[in-house]
């Protein structure tokens, strides 16, 4: 089992920055794909940024030049640095981890590949 706890959410003005953190514990070695999903108001939850165990990063197109995902060497902490925030970045951000059998680069955006989820942290971007 993998336990995930997010922190760092809050309110920020458009153009501002925020960094989310996810503390990960348990059987981390059973996962090869770890990252962040977002559920914006009125929308389905979708992948924002994910890292595979080999260090490769995958981003939602709308955040690619503004967000940075990182992990510490032990993969116990995964962070999402969010810059130039926009109102459409508002939502609940979830940390998630899963095992894709080595195909994180293919399945990183698919929620069904992630067996482990945090409770979420809310981000509000508004004037």
């Amino acid at each position: 089992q993998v336990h995930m706890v997010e922190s760092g959410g809050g309110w920020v003005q458009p153009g501002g920055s925020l960094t989310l953190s996810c503390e990960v514990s348990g059987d981390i070695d059973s996962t090869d794909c770890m990252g962040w999903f977002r559920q914006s108001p009125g929308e389905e939850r979708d992948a924002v940024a994910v890292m595979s165990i080999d260090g490769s990063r995958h981003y939602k197109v709308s955040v690619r030049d503004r967000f940075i995902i990182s992990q510490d060497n032990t993969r116990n902490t995964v962070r999402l640095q969010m810059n130039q925030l926009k109102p459409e970045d508002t939502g609940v951000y979830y940390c998630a981890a899963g095992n894709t059998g080595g195909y994180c680069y293919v399945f990183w955006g698919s929620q069904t590949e992630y067996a482990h989820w945090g409770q979420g942290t809310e981000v509000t971007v508004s004037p």
Side-chain angles (χ1 to χ4, degrees), residues 16-39:
S17 298
L18 207 59
T19 298
L20 306 180
S21 293
C22 177
E23 298 300 318
V24 188
S25 60
D27 191 13
I28 299 172
D29 291 340
S30 69
T31 68
D32 65 358
C33 212
M34 190 179 296
W36 294 90
F37 283 69
R38 175 177 72 199
Q39 185 161 21

Side-chain angles (χ1 to χ4, degrees), residues 11-125:
W11 170 82
V12 62
Q13 291 185 333
S17 298
L18 207 59
T19 298
L20 306 180
S21 293
C22 177
E23 298 300 318
V24 188
S25 60
D27 191 13
I28 299 172
D29 291 340
S30 69
T31 68
D32 65 358
C33 212
M34 190 179 296
W36 294 90
F37 283 69
R38 175 177 72 199
Q39 185 161 21
S40 297
E43 298 183 14
E44 293 187 357
R45 186 167 60 184
D46 63 355
V48 174
V50 171
M51 277 188 74
S52 68
I53 195 170
D54 65 3
S56 58
R57 294 169 170 83
H58 312 279
Y59 293 97
K60 180 182 177 72
V61 172
S62 63
V63 309
R64 187 169 294 163
D65 296 327
R66 301 184 292 120
F67 291 9
I68 301 171
I69 186 171
S70 62
Q71 285 181 319
D72 63 4
N73 290 338
T74 61
R75 302 176 72 219
N76 286 110
T77 303
V78 58
R79 292 186 177 87
L80 184 66
Q81 180 181 337
M82 304 185 293
N83 303 312
Q84 302 173 48
L85 282 160
K86 305 176 180 180
E88 50 264 42
D89 295 319
T90 293
V92 179
Y93 285 71
Y94 297 90
C95 190
N99 186 347
T100 66
Y103 289 93
C104 185
Y105 69 101
V106 175
F107 299 115
W108 66 274
S110 175
Q111 293 189 61
T112 58
E113 299 296 325
Y114 296 82
H116 312 288
W117 293 84
Q119 293 298 306
T121 186
E122 190 163 1
V123 173
T124 302
V125 185

